[in-house]
Amino acid sequence: MGNRELENFSKSLRNLEGSTTYQPPFGVVTQAGLVAPFRICMEQACELRENWSLEE
């Protein structure tokens, strides 16, 4: 994972951590805003895990 990808992952994670202040019920826009950073974090975490296992 390059520096840009790591920076994007960190930003997405911070945005996801900030979402803990939201209380249900969620509006459609809020829900979409919560799902996008989660999806990005998961994709990048899986990629990072793959790269780590290949290096070992």
Side-chain angles (χ1 to χ4, degrees):
M1 186 178 288
N3 286 337
R4 183 157 174 88
E5 289 90 2
L6 185 58
E7 185 179 320
N8 288 341
F9 176 77
S10 297
K11 286 180 183 179
S12 295
L13 186 58
R14 281 194 301 273
N15 289 340
L16 194 56
E17 289 171 341
S19 69
T20 59
T21 61
Y22 294 109
Q23 297 295 319
F26 302 120
V28 174
V29 174
T30 302
Q31 189 171 2
L34 296 174
V35 170
F38 180 77
R39 182 182 54 81
I40 292 167
C41 283
M42 288 301 297
E43 287 173 356
Q44 291 179 343
C46 289
E47 183 180 320
L48 181 61
R49 183 175 168 214
E50 251 180 47
N51 290 340
W52 249 343
S53 64
L54 292 175
E55 290 176 8
E56 292 180 353

